[in-house]
Amino acid sequence: MDTLEKHPQCPDSPSRPQPWSVDAVVALFDLPFADLMFRAQTVHRENHDPNAVQRSTLLSIKTGGCPEDCGYCPQAARHDTGVDNEPMMSVDAVVEAARSAKANGATRFCMGAAWRSPKQRDLEPVLAMVRQVRALGLETCATLGMLKPGQAGQLREAGLDYYNHNLDTAPEFYGDIVSTRTQQDRLDTLAQVRSAGMNVCCGGIVGMGETRRQRAGLIATLANLDPCPESVPINHLVRVPGTPLENEDALDPLEFVRTVAVARITMPRAMVRLSAGREEMSEAVQALCFLAGANSVFYGDRLLTTGNPDVERDHALFDRLGIHGLEPATGH
Ligand code: SAM
Ligand code: DTB
Ligand code: SF4
């Protein structure tokens, strides 16, 4: 049986076709590289401008001191990474950062907070940030941890376009990486985001010691969310000293490119975001990621606490590849 041909691509139709099995996704990963890239590019060109890449700026509005134990994360209070527990930024400082990101060419602004879950008194200033950042004409995204009933609705009301909440890895590997919550907790928050009418930004991290089958399991889980996420960040683990994963073996860069290609094939309409890890990635590998269907990057010399290529370097790379920036899809 040809598992590759059997599966329709991530559907938008009301009658949802068969979900992706992990075996079918593994079969994609196992393709010869040229065949995988051809399939990914075909799907990409059917659904997107292949020369457009969205530039999204990330800002840590509340850094460090997080009570969770995510093995990859420099912001967990229990990891000795040199990241301090800082107070939340002021609304004005956040809006100023968004204004400058826009002046530099970003069309999307993502605000991240190192919380397990936002307290209601902390959510209020975030709502003001969302309102004012969106008023600048930027697409807005926030990642604040698990949401309590009602909070997704308040964010939506304030004008939040996307909520980022990652599944991070395969269901059966999740407990090896995080013990203070379950993947089901993540799915519950995603369901609240959906029912509040927001776009879902949900992806994961590769290079945490997972097997290829587990990478396929993550992608299958994401592609089978119903409806599938509009935005899928694919992060390469940044091995931060002081985190439990600091000495993880480096992933073969071509395996990272394969992961991007498989995400593109299984989620044709989604924005596939080449997220953390670009600073340590050669420009040739980044170019392969764009060929594989990545159509968004984090832009600006900082992610949340770790580095990212500087803006001039990214301009030069886009110029060399003939890539242009993409306008927000939310109709500002
Ligand atoms: N605290 C919230 C949460 O966990 O949902 C929001 C912020 S958290 C830092 C957002 C995402 O950053 C995580 O889900 C993870 O995918 C990514 N991330 C954190 N540390 C990373 C690292 N060292 N390398 C790659 N991605 C990382
Ligand atoms: C996502 O998937 N990646 C971004 C964003 N969503 C919030 C975060 C990357 C964080 C990398 C580690 C750091 O800079 O602290
Ligand atoms: Fe906290 Fe989010 Fe980092 Fe986990 S990933 S430790 S929840 S900031």
Side-chain angles (χ1 to χ4, degrees):
M1 182 183 64
D2 183 353
T3 44
L4 291 177
E5 296 311 319
K6 210 175 68 168
H7 289 270
Q9 290 154 359
C10 180
D12 283 327
S13 64
S15 56
R16 189 177 171 79
Q18 203 171 0
W20 285 93
S21 69
V22 177
D23 283 343
V25 179
V26 169
L28 289 174
F29 267 97
D30 288 347
L31 282 171
F33 191 73
D35 293 345
L36 175 62
M37 292 295 274
F38 182 68
R39 277 188 69 144
Q41 286 184 37
T42 305
V43 172
H44 191 47
R45 283 171 179 267
E46 280 166 5
N47 292 280
H48 304 271
D49 174 348
N51 301 309
V53 171
Q54 187 180 34
R55 290 177 293 199
S56 179
T57 292
L58 190 53
L59 180 68
S60 182
I61 61 166
K62 159 68 189 88
T63 303
C66 184
E68 300 279 80
D69 73 347
C70 313
Y72 45 78
C73 186
Q75 302 199 71
R78 67 191 80 196
H79 303 155
D80 187 11
T81 59
V83 173
D84 293 331
N85 183 2
E86 294 173 16
M88 184 169 20
M89 287 177 70
S90 71
V91 176
D92 286 353
V94 171
V95 176
E96 194 41 50
R99 202 172 276 122
S100 119
K102 186 181 179 188
N104 276 324
T107 58
R108 172 186 174 86
F109 194 71
C110 178
M111 294 159 270
W115 289 321
R116 170 177 164 84
S117 173
K119 298 190 180 71
Q120 189 55 32
R121 71 163 183 275
D122 290 330
L123 196 65
E124 303 293 340
V126 176
L127 300 175
M129 291 169 195
V130 170
R131 268 184 225 108
Q132 295 185 41
V133 170
R134 199 170 197 272
L136 297 175
L138 286 161
E139 190 174 279
T140 52
C141 181
T143 180
L144 315 170
M146 295 183 281
L147 296 178
K148 296 182 203 66
Q151 292 185 324
Q154 294 176 63
L155 288 162
R156 176 69 200 137
E157 192 93 334
L160 191 67
D161 297 307
Y162 288 79
Y163 194 76
N164 168 245
H165 202 62
N166 293 335
L167 291 181
D168 280 329
T169 194
E172 71 277 15
F173 193 52
Y174 196 80
D176 289 22
I177 303 293
V178 184
S179 77
T180 49
R181 56 168 187 261
T182 62
Q183 209 177 55
Q184 186 57 47
D185 293 327
R186 304 295 273 182
L187 291 166
D188 293 346
T189 290
L190 291 169
Q192 295 198 36
V193 170
R194 253 311 157 220
S195 50
M198 269 183 291
N199 292 304
V200 165
C201 176
C202 183
I205 308 178
V206 293
M208 298 196 293
E210 73 285 347
T211 60
R212 175 177 274 189
R213 188 169 182 84
Q214 288 168 331
R215 280 186 283 284
L218 166 69
I219 300 291
T221 309
L222 293 169
N224 291 338
L225 290 174
D226 187 8
C228 91
E230 287 77 15
S231 168
V232 181
I234 306 292
N235 295 278
H236 190 300
L237 174 69
V238 182
R239 292 170 292 177
V240 180
T243 61
L245 296 180
E246 67 173 311
N247 295 317
E248 200 50 62
D249 288 341
L251 183 76
D252 173 2
L254 294 181
E255 186 68 10
F256 185 81
V257 177
R258 282 182 184 272
T259 309
V260 171
V262 170
R264 168 52 67 222
I265 293 165
T266 55
M267 294 172 273
R269 308 278 282 266
M271 297 296 292
V272 174
R273 305 187 191 273
L274 168 53
S275 301
R278 280 201 306 127
E279 199 169 44
E280 292 187 52
M281 212 176 275
S282 72
E283 296 193 333
V285 169
Q286 293 182 54
L288 283 175
C289 290
F290 298 135
L291 287 180
N295 57 353
S296 168
V297 291
F298 283 127
Y299 176 67
D301 58 9
R302 218 151 179 74
L303 292 167
L304 292 172
T305 64
T306 66
N308 195 45
D310 60 39
V311 162
E312 292 72 29
R313 253 191 103 175
D314 275 345
H315 277 172
L317 178 62
F318 276 33
D319 279 353
R320 283 160 69 204
L321 298 174
I323 286 175
H324 58 87
L326 186 73
E327 291 309 308
T330 42
H332 292 280

